[in-house]
Each structure stands twice: as C-alpha cells, then as structure tokens.
Amino acid sequence: MIYNMSCIEGSQQHLEDESVDLIITDPPYNLGYGGTGFRKVKKEGFGTFANDELSDREYRRFTTDWLREAYRVLKPGRHIYVCIDWRKYPLMFWLMQHVGFTIKNCIVWDKIHMGMGWQYRFQHEFVIFAVKDVVKRRRAPQQIIAPVKAGSPAAKNRRVSSRSLTDVWKVPKLSSNKMIHPTEKPVDLITPMILQSSQEGEMVVDFFVGSGPVYEAAVKNGRIFKGFEVSPHHCQSAMNRIQP
Ligand SMILES: C[S@@+](CC[C@H](N)C(=O)[O-])C[C@H]1O[C@@H](n2cnc3c(N)ncnc32)[C@H](O)[C@@H]1O
C-alpha cells in the first residue's frame, strides 16, 4: 500500500500507535538535489522534490515532526534505518535521539563508484541504525525511566539476525541512465536491512517512498508494506516496480 500524501498526515491517518515492525526511510537531505547537477537531466521527476529546499529552521521542524510520528508508530524493541549524508548526519543523529530513538550504529554505504562533488568526489552515504528501546534508560544504565508498556508484544529489543555483517556495505550505486529517481537507492542496499531486522509477514514502513526500493525489497521478501510519497509521478514509478 503506497499513499500519495505527506508522511506526517499519512501516518496520523493510517498507522496505529506501535503497529510497525520496521522503518526504513530515505528523507530529503535538504540539499536541493534536483537543483544541482540533476537540473540538467531531462527525465521526468528529476526536478527538485518536496521538502528538499527548506530553511534550516523549517527543515529541523519538518524532520522533528516526521521522526516523532516514526517513533509513535514503531513497536518497542524494533529498528529504524534512516539514510543521510555527511552534511546532515549531525542534525539527524541529534534529532533521532531527541525524539527518543537509541542510535546503535552508523552503516557506511560504499557506493563503489564515485559520484558528483569536487575536492574528493562523493562515494559514500550513511544509514543511521537505531532502535525504539523497550526499556528507556537515563545516562546511568541502571536508571530505567520508561518501563515496558503493559501488553507490549516485545519484551526486549530485537537484534539483527546475523552477527557477521559489518557496518560498511559495498553496494554499487545505480548508473545514472538506469535511475528513475534523482536520489534512488539500490534494492540491494535495502534488502539486507529487511532481512536482518524483520520477519516474513511483518509490517515495514517507508515515510519517503520515492521510486520505491523499500517497497520492492519488502514485498519480494514477504513483508507487508505501507509507505507515503507526495509526488504522484514517483508514487506511480514505485507502484510500477511490482506488477499485480
Ligand atoms: C530522498 S527521496 C527518496 C528516494 C527513494 N529512497 C528512492 O530510492 O527512490 C525523498 C522523497 O520523499 C518525497 N517527499 C518529500 N516530502 C515528503 C513528505 N512530507 N511525505 C512523503 N514524501 C515526501 C519526495 O518527493 C522524494 O521522492
């Protein structure tokens, strides 16, 4: 299910408290992507996308609002993965903690091939990996401030299923002539997150669907998917990934 609407209203309307097993999302980085190199690309949908050219203050408010929704809907003990690049990493790290998530690690996506940029061309992005703690603690580890909610399905935090994966993932970026979204992530980057942090039949949510790699990886691995995308064009591209 992909809703062609803003994730904040969409989540308020369509997602119950603590109903989601896993969130994987790639928000606007507020770098005006369509506004830089991609302005020259003639493909449909390669202009600037929503919420990617806000003032710093608006971006902080927008990011806080959707992160609060993400925190509300995620089940205790379950994981969230948020894509971000080095320029917005400090802000996203801080805001994720601010809304209540516990950051567990930062995955470095090594794209193998270099991209744009000068004075060292870009070849990596980050994926912040965090959990909604079952038991929220203050700095002193023994001080529990939010015990498990009565009736909560999770008694303890989920762990990733494999202990042998590292936090550097080498996954080739898509070649620009194959891309259908200006910041498209490869399905091969998303699939390990789905397999490591959810089980078949569980609910995976993406707040910023774009061209739908999370949708594809989730459905192809037997997960239930819900997502939000404001652009009708990108919404359609995402839905085209899976033929009924
Ligand atoms: C960084 S891109 C996601 C790209 C996606 N991961 C992919 O691989 O195609 C962010 C997307 O979020 C959408 N977007 C921006 N603001 C939104 C909002 N409030 N609710 C839902 N989608 C939004 C944009 O249209 C854009 O497609």
Side-chain angles (χ1 to χ4, degrees):
M1 183 73 82
I2 301 172
Y3 298 97
N4 182 202
M5 64 192 300
S6 161
C7 56
I8 298 165
E9 289 83 51
S11 152
Q12 287 162 352
Q13 286 174 28
H14 298 287
L15 298 174
E16 302 283 319
D17 290 358
E18 303 192 342
S19 60
V20 173
D21 295 286
L22 170 62
I23 297 173
I24 301 173
T25 203
D26 176 22
Y29 298 175
N30 206 29
L31 298 171
Y33 251 104
T36 55
F38 281 110
R39 221 187 269 287
K40 298 186 199 107
V41 178
K42 294 281 180 279
K43 289 187 205 173
E44 197 183 346
F46 276 65
T48 312
F49 51 76
N51 295 309
D52 202 39
E53 283 186 309
L54 302 176
S55 69
D56 288 348
R57 191 192 173 100
E58 288 166 337
Y59 184 68
R60 265 198 309 276
R61 167 55 42 213
F62 169 68
T63 304
T64 307
D65 288 349
W66 76 256
L67 280 172
R68 279 196 207 287
E69 270 304 300
Y71 190 82
R72 177 185 69 78
V73 302
L74 193 63
K75 290 180 184 171
R78 299 299 162 88
H79 299 160
I80 178 170
Y81 294 82
V82 179
C83 300
I84 203 70
D85 97 336
W86 58 274
R87 287 162 285 192
K88 288 296 185 297
Y89 177 85
L91 177 69
M92 188 62 73
F93 182 92
W94 192 86
L95 287 179
M96 285 179 73
Q97 291 195 118
H98 177 69
V99 304
F101 291 114
T102 302
I103 313 282
K104 290 296 196 186
N105 207 334
C106 173
I107 295 160
V108 178
W109 172 29
D110 174 354
K111 306 182 188 183
I112 315 273
H113 308 293
M114 66 184 173
M116 292 190 296
W118 62 292
Q119 306 207 72
Y120 306 120
R121 294 183 62 168
F122 300 150
Q123 197 176 300
H124 77 281
E125 276 181 50
F126 295 135
V127 184
I128 301 177
F129 168 59
V131 66
K132 175 172 172 176
D133 265 327
V134 166
V135 179
K136 196 91 190 126
R137 297 165 195 277
R138 282 195 207 282
R139 270 190 206 123
Q142 295 80 6
Q143 244 184 313
I144 296 168
I145 55 170
V148 185
K149 225 175 149 182
S152 165
K156 51 185 176 174
N157 290 346
R158 176 166 277 181
R159 295 202 172 173
V160 294
S161 25
S162 160
R163 293 194 65 187
S164 57
L165 274 184
T166 75
D167 54 11
V168 179
W169 296 8
K170 292 179 188 296
V171 179
K173 73 187 190 81
L174 297 165
S175 63
S176 46
N177 57 343
K178 292 212 175 109
M179 286 168 82
I180 54 172
H181 187 289
T183 64
E184 186 175 345
K185 302 292 179 289
V187 174
D188 288 348
L189 176 72
I190 307 297
T191 301
M193 304 176 199
I194 304 261
L195 298 178
Q196 291 299 316
S197 293
S198 70
Q199 294 168 2
E200 267 191 69
E202 288 189 343
M203 164 89 72
V204 177
V205 164
D206 183 355
F207 276 58
F208 302 94
V209 168
S211 65
V214 180
Y215 168 56
E216 180 176 340
V219 172
K220 287 193 171 161
N221 287 287
R223 274 61 171 171
I224 298 162
F225 178 84
K226 282 193 185 179
F228 309 98
E229 171 55 56
V230 282
S231 151
H233 173 79
H234 294 316
C235 230
Q236 191 56 54
S237 307
M239 287 189 291
N240 291 345
R241 281 179 183 259
I242 294 175
Q243 303 305 325

